[in-house]
């Protein structure tokens, strides 16, 4: 008897050991709140032969593997979806999933929870299929830490193809992101003010259909219509409403026609996005209020004018059953605490230097129905930032956090692990302070392809759902498995870390002055000189630091290119993302190639070496249109690369890289003129 008991215990222990080992092979994203392994052996995904809804339970929209099963009970093991308010999380998005050798049951108090339970089960089934694994017996109890988990879609400078937005909704739902705040600018075909819309704008009917599709997948789509500032898309056509006649940046808040126009745009946006909860009214980064005679006549201060505008637009939102959201930087600037809030001063210094008196005195100007979006695209845990959050809390004002998946500080590709650490930390801060939710912004200033932003969007899904579930390296490993089918131990996405680093040299490799990085303001520029044929070696001495860095970047490029090639060969899905990375890598390598070719010419010891160098320089110049063509062919699979005929650029957006040209030339702002300069030099 003792031997039998011992053998049974050994069997159970070995079964649990296998289950734990097998469970490690499954990378669920976002990470569930609780996974308890059962002694049950579990099942293979192929054993699931049907999906049914218990009683009156309504089927949610289901992902492809589950949706491919028949919806009636038949021989085999089934998936049972059940609505119940017993022994399930309080959140309507929460669920309990139990997997045994008999099948799967997903229970929730709401259809949204069943939807998310199915997303989790789909990931388990994918891994079972991809890696020939049994899904261990387990009980998952899961729910979101944050109830509002949004990403920002900024289309001020470009549009993607409509089908791409549908695919975007599917992927956001897969990772349990439940909201989109869409910054429309002129990319909606406004019917009340048709002159505002770009010729290629999305129609209200198209947008409404997309929003319904999103709603069916538990995603709230709400509009962001910029004002009081960032109004170039409007004021380039309505000079009469400018605060400064020389600038299309700000509305005059004292002209009644400002509100007539803005409210017309709001109404069109609300009709196009009828299922959303919010209306984001913008309101950030104002440079001049109170300078116009209309404003001077009111006797109001700039601070009062800002809040007068805010009160009116908030009232409109509430009257139309939307909760207003407002970027909160301007009141903080007017109160004199913006600069210290951006610093990393100590708690003691915060208490000494951050005087909240002006904010305290103006608190009655803050509309109580408004949500103040506290944006911070870096470290959100500084004492100064926490002090501002405490002020809001003390005053009973609602706050939402805004971090960044792409902060506008880099053309072509976000940096720093696609901002994952900042997203994680701010999500935790939102949870700790019981804020209204979190938004991961993705600014279009440098207009990176959205495929390069996706890891940041997915990080928001991960950390909005479970901020403390994984550290960033573990998230990156889970992302690689979920998006491409790469196991963590394979390390197939290391190339992306290197690609993010390569951006830094690319930014200014070909110039001696000027910036194309929107973080510094895109400016005019001066290209590097070319070697003097009569004075060999002088050029190399002048640019020795660039040459040395180019040699390092050439090695980095090879490493990245090899990593991408291997990833493309082994990927189980999402190869298009890898193609975008590949072409981005080729573009970022072009300055390196041309610098090294010129360096070889300048260092040539004889005519034969110079002739070889000339051939290489010519080859690099000839390669440019080939590289550009491949780059545009890949990028244009999802996005439009040029503005439509007749498009009028905003006056004040000239310092955004992606607004520098109407064509796709801005992608090659330094490279194209450099090739022309080198060709001219070759022909002398």
């Amino acid at each position: 008897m003792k031997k039998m008991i011992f053998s049974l215990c050994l069997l159970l222990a070995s079964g649990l050991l296998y289950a734990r080992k097998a469970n490690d092979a499954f990378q669920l994203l976002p990470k569930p709140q609780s996974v308890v392994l059962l002694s049950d052996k579990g099942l293979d995904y192929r054993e699931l032969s049907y999906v049914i809804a218990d009683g009156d339970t309504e089927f949610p929209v289901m992902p492809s593997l589950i949706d491919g099963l028949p919806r009636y009970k038949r021989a085999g093991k089934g998936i049972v979806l059940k609505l119940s308010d017993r022994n399930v999380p309080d959140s309507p998005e929460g669920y309990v999933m139990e997997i045994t050798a008999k099948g799967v049951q997903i229970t929730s108090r709401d259809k949204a929870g069943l939807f998310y339970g199915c997303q989790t089960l789909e990931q388990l089934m994918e891994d079972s299929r991809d890696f020939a694994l049994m899904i261990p017996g387990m009980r998952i109890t899961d729910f979101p830490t944050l109830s509002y988990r949004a990403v920002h879609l900024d289309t001020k400078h470009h549009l993607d193809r409509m089908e791409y937005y549908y695919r975007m909704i599917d992927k956001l739902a897969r990772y349990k992101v439940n909201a989109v705040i869409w910054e429309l600018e002129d990319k909606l075909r406004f019917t009340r003010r048709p002159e505002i819309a770009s010729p290629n704008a999305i129609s209200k009917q198209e947008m409404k259909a997309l929003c319904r599709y999103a709603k069916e997948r538990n995603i709230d789509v709400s509009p962001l219509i910029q004002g009081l500032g960032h109004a170039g898309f409007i004021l380039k056509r309505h000079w009469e409403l400018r605060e400064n006649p020389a600038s299309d940046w700000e509305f005059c808040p004292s002209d009644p026609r400002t509100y007539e126009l803005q409210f017309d745009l709001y109404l069109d946006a609300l009709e196009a996005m009828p299922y959303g909860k919010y209306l984001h009214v913008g309101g950030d980064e104002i440079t001049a209020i109170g300078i116009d005679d209309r404003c001077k006549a009111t006797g109001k201060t700039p601070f009062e004018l800002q809040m007068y505008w805010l009160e009116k637009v908030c009232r409109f939102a509430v009257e139309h059953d939307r909760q207003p959201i407002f970027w909160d930087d301007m009141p903080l600037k007017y109160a004199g605490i913006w600069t210290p809030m951006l610093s990393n001063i100590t708690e003691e210094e915060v208490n000494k230097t951050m005087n909240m008196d002006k904010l305290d005195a103006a608190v009655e100007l803050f509309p109580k129905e408004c949500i103040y979006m506290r944006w911070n695209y870096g470290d959100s845990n500084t004492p100064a930032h926490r002090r501002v959050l405490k002020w809001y809390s003390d005053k009973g004002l609602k706050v939402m956090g805004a971090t960044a998946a792409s902060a506008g500080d880099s053309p072509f590709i976000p940096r720093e692990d696609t901002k994952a650490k900042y997203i994680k930390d701010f999500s935790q801060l939102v949870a700790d302070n019981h804020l209204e939710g979190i938004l991961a912004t993705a600014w279009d200033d440098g207009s990176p392809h959205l495929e390069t932003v996706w890891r940041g969007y997915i990080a928001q899904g991960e950390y909005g759902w479970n901020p403390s579930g994984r550290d960033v390296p573990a998230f990156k490993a889970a992302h690689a498995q979920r998006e491409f089918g790469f196991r963590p131990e394979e390390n197939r996405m290391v190339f992306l870390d290197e690609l993010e680093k390569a951006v830094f040299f690319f930014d200014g490799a070909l110039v001696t002055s000027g910036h194309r990085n929107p973080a510094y303001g895109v400016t005019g520029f001066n290209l590097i000189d070319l070697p003097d044929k009569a004075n060999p070696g002088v050029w190399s001495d002048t640019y020795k630091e660039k040459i040395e860095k180019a040699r390092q970047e050439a090695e980095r490029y090879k490493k990245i290119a090899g990593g991408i090639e291997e990833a493309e060969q082994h990927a189980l899905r999402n190869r298009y993302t890898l193609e975008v990375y590949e072409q981005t890598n080729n573009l970022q390598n072009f300055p390196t190639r041309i610098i090294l070719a010129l360096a070889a010419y300048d260092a040539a010891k004889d005519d034969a070496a110079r002739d070889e160098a000339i051939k290489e320089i010519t080859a690099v110049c000839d390669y440019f249109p080939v590289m550009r063509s491949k780059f545009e062919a890949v990028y244009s699979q999802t996005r439009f690369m040029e503005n439509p005929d007749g498009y009028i650029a905003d006056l004040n957006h000239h310092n955004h890289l992606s607004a520098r040209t109407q064509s796709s030339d801005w992608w090659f702002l330094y490279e194209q003129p450099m090739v022309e300069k080198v060709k001219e030099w070759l022909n002398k």
Side-chain angles (χ1 to χ4, degrees):
M1 177 63 75
K2 289 181 179 179
K3 286 184 178 180
M4 287 181 61
I5 293 172
F6 176 76
S7 298
L8 182 59
C9 290
L10 187 63
L11 184 64
L12 288 172
S14 62
L16 282 171
L17 185 63
Y18 166 79
R20 288 192 185 97
K21 187 175 180 180
N23 183 55
D24 291 340
F26 291 86
Q27 294 287 323
L28 299 177
L29 203 163
K31 186 175 182 180
Q33 301 287 351
S34 170
V35 178
V36 176
L37 295 175
L38 307 176
S39 57
D40 194 286
K41 70 173 185 177
L43 48 78
D44 185 284
Y45 89 101
R46 291 170 296 186
E47 297 179 78
L48 295 170
S49 60
Y50 63 88
V51 55
I52 59 173
D54 180 71
D56 295 330
T57 300
E58 187 178 339
F59 284 104
V61 172
M62 293 183 290
S64 59
L65 289 177
I66 300 174
D67 197 39
L69 298 174
R71 299 187 183 189
Y72 72 96
K73 190 170 184 178
R74 63 175 187 170
K77 301 175 182 180
I79 303 166
V80 179
L81 307 180
K82 181 178 180 180
L83 288 179
S84 173
D85 58 2
R86 298 183 62 187
N87 301 317
V88 293
D90 290 338
S91 167
E93 296 178 308
Y95 62 91
V96 173
M97 181 191 306
E98 190 158 299
I99 300 172
T100 68
K102 296 179 180 179
V104 180
Q105 179 165 302
I106 301 173
T107 309
S108 175
R109 64 179 60 248
D110 190 273
K111 187 178 176 182
L114 297 179
F115 176 84
Y116 287 130
C118 287
Q119 296 296 331
T120 299
L121 178 58
E122 181 87 354
Q123 293 184 13
L124 290 168
M125 293 171 69
E126 278 181 354
D127 285 346
S128 176
R129 175 198 64 193
D130 294 346
F131 310 122
L133 292 169
M134 291 280 288
I135 303 174
M138 65 175 74
R139 182 183 299 109
I140 297 176
T141 303
D142 204 11
F143 53 88
T145 299
L146 306 180
S147 61
Y148 187 79
R149 310 171 301 281
V151 300
H152 170 235
L153 186 57
D154 182 8
T155 50
K156 68 165 63 73
H157 296 314
H158 88 280
L159 270 178
D160 291 286
R161 299 176 188 277
M162 205 67 198
E163 64 268 22
Y164 188 62
Y165 296 127
Y166 279 90
R167 284 156 49 193
M168 178 181 185
I169 294 298
D170 286 335
K171 187 176 285 193
L172 292 174
R174 170 179 170 87
Y175 295 113
K176 301 183 174 67
V177 171
N178 67 357
V180 175
I181 290 181
W182 193 325
E183 185 160 345
L184 292 163
E185 296 231 347
D186 57 4
K187 301 307 187 292
L188 181 68
R189 199 174 304 159
F190 299 102
T191 54
R192 291 174 175 84
R193 302 283 182 151
E195 73 279 7
I196 303 300
S198 169
N200 64 339
I202 300 169
S203 75
K204 290 165 67 175
Q205 291 82 2
E206 287 177 310
M207 184 65 76
K208 187 173 182 179
L210 178 66
C211 291
R212 176 173 175 173
Y213 186 87
K215 180 176 181 287
E216 291 165 351
R217 287 150 182 82
N218 208 49
I219 293 176
D220 174 300
V221 183
S222 295
L224 193 166
I225 303 292
Q226 279 285 15
L228 185 61
H230 285 278
F233 72 105
I234 301 168
L235 297 179
K236 64 187 176 186
R237 298 182 182 278
H238 285 275
W239 287 58
E240 74 280 5
L241 297 180
R242 296 181 177 196
E243 179 75 4
N244 177 359
S247 169
D248 62 11
W249 192 258
E250 290 105 351
F251 278 104
C252 172
S254 301
D255 192 319
R257 295 173 297 175
T258 288
Y259 303 98
E260 293 171 6
L261 194 157
Q262 282 206 283
F263 293 170
D264 280 348
L265 301 184
Y266 290 167
L267 286 170
D268 279 343
L270 298 185
E271 289 169 359
M273 300 176 167
Y275 313 108
K277 180 178 180 181
Y278 298 106
L279 171 61
H280 198 312
V281 298
D284 61 320
E285 298 183 325
I286 309 303
T287 58
I289 298 183
I291 65 172
D292 179 83
D293 288 342
R294 289 165 292 186
C295 285
K296 289 178 181 178
T298 67
K300 291 183 171 67
T301 67
F303 194 171
E304 290 169 332
L305 288 166
Q306 172 91 34
M307 304 310 279
Y308 170 77
W309 169 85
L310 181 61
E311 189 277 329
K312 289 182 74 69
V313 297
C314 285
R315 189 190 318 149
F316 174 92
V318 171
E319 288 172 353
H320 290 82
D321 298 319
R322 295 294 178 106
Q323 194 160 9
I325 300 176
F326 164 67
W327 302 119
D328 76 337
D329 55 294
M330 291 312 300
L332 303 182
K333 288 180 182 178
Y334 288 132
I337 64 168
W338 181 251
T339 299
M341 195 203 65
L342 293 178
S343 65
N344 195 19
I345 58 178
T346 66
E347 191 80 46
E348 183 179 0
E349 290 171 319
V350 166
N351 294 331
K352 287 180 180 178
T353 62
M354 284 190 67
N355 188 331
M356 313 298 280
D357 289 349
K358 287 185 179 179
L359 276 183
D360 289 339
V363 70
E364 294 305 317
L365 297 177
F366 285 71
K368 299 298 186 291
E369 65 273 20
C370 185
I371 293 177
Y372 295 87
M373 187 160 269
R374 174 75 299 281
W375 56 273
N376 186 311
Y377 307 147
D379 183 4
S380 61
N381 276 303
T382 63
H385 191 240
R386 286 180 173 274
R387 177 69 185 88
V388 171
L389 291 178
K390 183 178 184 303
W391 182 86
Y392 279 121
S393 177
D394 290 345
K395 303 303 179 184
L397 297 172
K398 298 175 183 177
V399 180
M400 187 179 289
T403 179
S406 175
D409 60 351
S410 174
F412 312 114
I413 185 169
R415 309 177 191 189
E416 301 176 286
D417 298 325
T418 334
K419 307 290 186 182
K421 180 67 164 61
Y422 298 140
I423 293 169
K424 172 180 169 60
D425 289 349
F426 209 159
S427 295
Q428 187 65 62
L429 193 63
V430 168
D432 292 344
N433 288 273
H434 309 289
L435 305 186
E436 299 292 313
I438 187 76
L439 171 73
T441 59
W443 296 103
D444 205 33
D445 304 17
S447 204
H449 195 295
L450 281 179
E451 289 301 307
T452 71
V453 178
W454 260 111
R455 189 167 68 169
Y457 279 164
I458 294 169
Q460 187 59 83
E462 166 84 351
Y463 294 121
W465 188 272
N466 188 353
S468 60
R470 286 188 180 99
D471 60 19
V472 171
F475 160 72
K476 289 164 64 178
H479 166 269
Q481 183 160 322
R482 288 273 55 87
E483 280 293 277
F484 305 104
F486 301 150
R487 298 290 291 274
E489 63 270 18
E490 294 169 339
N491 291 321
R492 296 202 190 280
M493 292 299 290
V494 172
F495 74 82
L496 185 50
D497 297 334
E498 296 299 317
L499 187 58
E500 288 186 358
K501 295 173 186 174
V503 183
F504 290 93
F505 181 64
F506 169 80
D507 277 354
L510 295 179
V511 298
T512 58
S513 65
H515 297 291
R516 67 171 156 192
N517 190 319
Y520 312 116
V522 179
T523 66
F525 58 89
N526 290 303
L527 294 170
I528 59 174
D529 296 327
L530 299 176
D532 183 348
K533 299 176 183 180
N535 295 287
V538 174
W539 186 88
S540 297
D541 187 59
T542 301
Y543 296 112
K544 60 184 177 182
E545 291 183 6
K546 282 186 184 289
I547 295 168
E548 177 56 32
K549 186 63 177 173
R551 291 193 178 107
Q552 297 171 17
E553 291 303 319
E555 293 304 311
R556 192 196 304 275
Y557 170 76
K558 292 176 187 176
K559 186 176 180 180
I560 296 168
I564 293 175
E565 182 180 7
E566 186 175 297
E568 289 175 328
Q569 291 169 352
H570 290 85
L572 303 181
R573 46 191 169 267
N574 293 323
R575 288 185 184 86
Y576 178 64
T577 309
L578 300 173
E579 291 175 15
V580 170
Y581 286 139
E582 179 181 19
Q583 297 309 319
T584 303
N585 187 41
N586 290 338
L587 172 57
Q588 292 181 170
N589 178 244
F590 187 79
T592 292
R593 288 191 62 175
I594 205 163
I595 287 171
L596 293 181
L598 292 169
Y601 173 87
D602 193 55
K605 301 301 184 183
D606 52 39
D607 288 343
R610 271 188 289 275
D611 288 344
E612 284 301 309
I614 288 292
K615 289 180 182 178
E616 177 60 21
I617 294 169
T618 303
V620 173
C621 290
D622 291 343
Y623 167 70
F624 175 74
V626 176
M627 179 272 294
R628 176 172 178 166
S629 177
K630 289 181 179 178
F631 179 94
E632 293 184 339
V634 170
Y635 269 51
S636 64
Q637 287 182 39
T638 60
R639 70 182 284 162
F640 297 104
M641 298 294 286
E642 299 181 350
N643 284 325
D645 292 341
Y647 187 79
I648 300 174
D650 301 357
L651 173 66
N652 290 115
H653 272 161
H654 64 277
N655 63 342
H656 285 179
L657 178 62
S658 47
R660 293 287 286 189
T661 66
Q662 298 284 52
S663 70
S664 57
D665 286 350
W666 68 269
W667 293 99
F668 318 99
L669 192 67
Y670 298 165
E671 290 69 31
Q672 183 171 309
M674 187 66 187
V675 169
E676 293 168 358
K677 181 175 180 176
V678 171
K679 284 183 175 179
E680 186 178 328
W681 173 81
L682 286 170
N683 291 328
K684 286 183 179 178

mmCIF file of all heavy atoms in Angstrom, residues 235-250:
data_model
loop_
_atom_site.group_PDB
_atom_site.id
_atom_site.type_symbol
_atom_site.label_atom_id
_atom_site.label_comp_id
_atom_site.label_asym_id
_atom_site.label_seq_id
_atom_site.Cartn_x
_atom_site.Cartn_y
_atom_site.Cartn_z
ATOM 1 N N LEU A 235 -6.721 76.559 -39.582
ATOM 2 C CA LEU A 235 -6.448 77.987 -39.744
ATOM 3 C C LEU A 235 -5.653 78.317 -40.991
ATOM 4 O O LEU A 235 -5.529 79.496 -41.346
ATOM 5 C CB LEU A 235 -5.734 78.517 -38.496
ATOM 6 C CG LEU A 235 -6.564 78.419 -37.210
ATOM 7 C CD1 LEU A 235 -5.776 78.936 -36.019
ATOM 8 C CD2 LEU A 235 -7.880 79.178 -37.343
ATOM 9 N N LYS A 236 -5.131 77.319 -41.692
ATOM 10 C CA LYS A 236 -4.528 77.610 -42.995
ATOM 11 C C LYS A 236 -5.600 78.035 -43.992
ATOM 12 O O LYS A 236 -5.287 78.613 -45.034
ATOM 13 C CB LYS A 236 -3.764 76.388 -43.512
ATOM 14 C CG LYS A 236 -4.606 75.156 -43.803
ATOM 15 C CD LYS A 236 -3.711 73.954 -44.135
ATOM 16 C CE LYS A 236 -4.504 72.678 -44.343
ATOM 17 N NZ LYS A 236 -3.639 71.501 -44.524
ATOM 18 N N ARG A 237 -6.863 77.770 -43.636
ATOM 19 C CA ARG A 237 -7.982 78.179 -44.489
ATOM 20 C C ARG A 237 -8.857 79.248 -43.832
ATOM 21 O O ARG A 237 -9.687 79.847 -44.511
ATOM 22 C CB ARG A 237 -8.848 76.960 -44.837
ATOM 23 C CG ARG A 237 -8.091 75.893 -45.615
ATOM 24 C CD ARG A 237 -8.986 74.738 -45.988
ATOM 25 N NE ARG A 237 -8.266 73.697 -46.694
ATOM 26 C CZ ARG A 237 -7.987 73.699 -47.997
ATOM 27 N NH1 ARG A 237 -8.369 74.720 -48.745
ATOM 28 N NH2 ARG A 237 -7.331 72.693 -48.541
ATOM 29 N N HIS A 238 -8.684 79.460 -42.541
ATOM 30 C CA HIS A 238 -9.531 80.425 -41.824
ATOM 31 C C HIS A 238 -8.655 81.441 -41.092
ATOM 32 O O HIS A 238 -8.534 81.428 -39.871
ATOM 33 C CB HIS A 238 -10.463 79.685 -40.854
ATOM 34 C CG HIS A 238 -11.606 78.995 -41.528
ATOM 35 N ND1 HIS A 238 -12.784 79.637 -41.852
ATOM 36 C CD2 HIS A 238 -11.727 77.715 -41.966
ATOM 37 C CE1 HIS A 238 -13.596 78.774 -42.450
ATOM 38 N NE2 HIS A 238 -12.976 77.616 -42.533
ATOM 39 N N TRP A 239 -8.083 82.349 -41.870
ATOM 40 C CA TRP A 239 -7.202 83.377 -41.316
ATOM 41 C C TRP A 239 -7.936 84.271 -40.327
ATOM 42 O O TRP A 239 -7.324 84.819 -39.399
ATOM 43 C CB TRP A 239 -6.625 84.226 -42.450
ATOM 44 C CG TRP A 239 -5.587 83.521 -43.260
ATOM 45 C CD1 TRP A 239 -5.721 82.354 -43.941
ATOM 46 C CD2 TRP A 239 -4.236 83.944 -43.436
ATOM 47 N NE1 TRP A 239 -4.545 82.008 -44.555
ATOM 48 C CE2 TRP A 239 -3.609 82.980 -44.262
ATOM 49 C CE3 TRP A 239 -3.501 85.043 -43.004
ATOM 50 C CZ2 TRP A 239 -2.278 83.089 -44.653
ATOM 51 C CZ3 TRP A 239 -2.173 85.148 -43.398
ATOM 52 C CH2 TRP A 239 -1.567 84.180 -44.207
ATOM 53 N N GLU A 240 -9.231 84.443 -40.527
ATOM 54 C CA GLU A 240 -9.991 85.369 -39.690
ATOM 55 C C GLU A 240 -10.055 84.920 -38.233
ATOM 56 O O GLU A 240 -10.363 85.728 -37.346
ATOM 57 C CB GLU A 240 -11.407 85.550 -40.248
ATOM 58 C CG GLU A 240 -12.371 84.372 -40.047
ATOM 59 C CD GLU A 240 -12.198 83.228 -41.033
ATOM 60 O OE1 GLU A 240 -11.241 83.293 -41.860
ATOM 61 O OE2 GLU A 240 -13.009 82.278 -41.000
ATOM 62 N N LEU A 241 -9.759 83.660 -37.973
ATOM 63 C CA LEU A 241 -9.852 83.141 -36.607
ATOM 64 C C LEU A 241 -8.492 82.971 -35.934
ATOM 65 O O LEU A 241 -8.399 82.430 -34.841
ATOM 66 C CB LEU A 241 -10.596 81.799 -36.610
ATOM 67 C CG LEU A 241 -12.052 81.868 -37.079
ATOM 68 C CD1 LEU A 241 -12.693 80.493 -37.051
ATOM 69 C CD2 LEU A 241 -12.847 82.841 -36.221
ATOM 70 N N ARG A 242 -7.452 83.462 -36.573
ATOM 71 C CA ARG A 242 -6.115 83.335 -35.997
ATOM 72 C C ARG A 242 -5.904 84.336 -34.868
ATOM 73 O O ARG A 242 -6.316 85.492 -34.959
ATOM 74 C CB ARG A 242 -5.045 83.569 -37.061
ATOM 75 C CG ARG A 242 -5.035 82.544 -38.177
ATOM 76 C CD ARG A 242 -3.931 82.842 -39.177
ATOM 77 N NE ARG A 242 -3.862 81.833 -40.234
ATOM 78 C CZ ARG A 242 -2.840 81.671 -41.051
ATOM 79 N NH1 ARG A 242 -1.783 82.483 -40.935
ATOM 80 N NH2 ARG A 242 -2.851 80.745 -41.977
ATOM 81 N N GLU A 243 -5.243 83.876 -33.838
ATOM 82 C CA GLU A 243 -4.810 84.788 -32.785
ATOM 83 C C GLU A 243 -3.652 85.647 -33.283
ATOM 84 O O GLU A 243 -3.576 86.835 -32.993
ATOM 85 C CB GLU A 243 -4.381 83.987 -31.548
ATOM 86 C CG GLU A 243 -3.875 84.824 -30.388
ATOM 87 C CD GLU A 243 -4.984 85.545 -29.635
ATOM 88 O OE1 GLU A 243 -6.169 85.334 -29.958
ATOM 89 O OE2 GLU A 243 -4.671 86.317 -28.719
ATOM 90 N N ASN A 244 -2.768 85.031 -34.049
ATOM 91 C CA ASN A 244 -1.626 85.725 -34.656
ATOM 92 C C ASN A 244 -1.758 85.601 -36.166
ATOM 93 O O ASN A 244 -1.689 84.491 -36.706
ATOM 94 C CB ASN A 244 -0.326 85.085 -34.172
ATOM 95 C CG ASN A 244 0.907 85.702 -34.804
ATOM 96 O OD1 ASN A 244 0.818 86.609 -35.621
ATOM 97 N ND2 ASN A 244 2.071 85.194 -34.432
ATOM 98 N N PRO A 245 -1.941 86.714 -36.886
ATOM 99 C CA PRO A 245 -2.143 86.631 -38.339
ATOM 100 C C PRO A 245 -1.008 85.926 -39.073
ATOM 101 O O PRO A 245 -1.223 85.365 -40.154
ATOM 102 C CB PRO A 245 -2.239 88.100 -38.760
ATOM 103 C CG PRO A 245 -2.672 88.822 -37.540
ATOM 104 C CD PRO A 245 -2.049 88.103 -36.393
ATOM 105 N N ALA A 246 0.196 85.935 -38.495
ATOM 106 C CA ALA A 246 1.349 85.326 -39.159
ATOM 107 C C ALA A 246 1.469 83.831 -38.869
ATOM 108 O O ALA A 246 2.369 83.171 -39.386
ATOM 109 C CB ALA A 246 2.630 86.027 -38.719
ATOM 110 N N SER A 247 0.576 83.305 -38.052
ATOM 111 C CA SER A 247 0.695 81.912 -37.629
ATOM 112 C C SER A 247 -0.652 81.209 -37.719
ATOM 113 O O SER A 247 -1.689 81.785 -37.371
ATOM 114 C CB SER A 247 1.201 81.848 -36.179
ATOM 115 O OG SER A 247 1.086 80.542 -35.662
ATOM 116 N N ASP A 248 -0.619 79.956 -38.166
ATOM 117 C CA ASP A 248 -1.859 79.167 -38.186
ATOM 118 C C ASP A 248 -1.937 78.225 -36.981
ATOM 119 O O ASP A 248 -2.672 77.245 -36.996
ATOM 120 C CB ASP A 248 -1.995 78.374 -39.497
ATOM 121 C CG ASP A 248 -0.889 77.349 -39.714
ATOM 122 O OD1 ASP A 248 -0.115 77.091 -38.774
ATOM 123 O OD2 ASP A 248 -0.785 76.804 -40.834
ATOM 124 N N TRP A 249 -1.206 78.538 -35.930
ATOM 125 C CA TRP A 249 -1.122 77.623 -34.788
ATOM 126 C C TRP A 249 -2.319 77.731 -33.849
ATOM 127 O O TRP A 249 -2.897 76.724 -33.466
ATOM 128 C CB TRP A 249 0.171 77.893 -34.014
ATOM 129 C CG TRP A 249 0.495 76.840 -32.997
ATOM 130 C CD1 TRP A 249 0.313 76.907 -31.646
ATOM 131 C CD2 TRP A 249 1.061 75.551 -33.246
ATOM 132 N NE1 TRP A 249 0.734 75.752 -31.043
ATOM 133 C CE2 TRP A 249 1.195 74.899 -32.003
ATOM 134 C CE3 TRP A 249 1.467 74.886 -34.403
ATOM 135 C CZ2 TRP A 249 1.720 73.616 -31.892
ATOM 136 C CZ3 TRP A 249 1.988 73.601 -34.285
ATOM 137 C CH2 TRP A 249 2.110 72.992 -33.042
ATOM 138 N N GLU A 250 -2.710 78.969 -33.444
ATOM 139 C CA GLU A 250 -3.755 79.129 -32.426
ATOM 140 C C GLU A 250 -5.006 79.821 -32.950
ATOM 141 O O GLU A 250 -4.935 80.770 -33.730
ATOM 142 C CB GLU A 250 -3.255 79.988 -31.251
ATOM 143 C CG GLU A 250 -2.222 79.327 -30.391
ATOM 144 C CD GLU A 250 -0.845 79.891 -30.654
ATOM 145 O OE1 GLU A 250 -0.698 80.670 -31.624
ATOM 146 O OE2 GLU A 250 0.078 79.572 -29.897
#
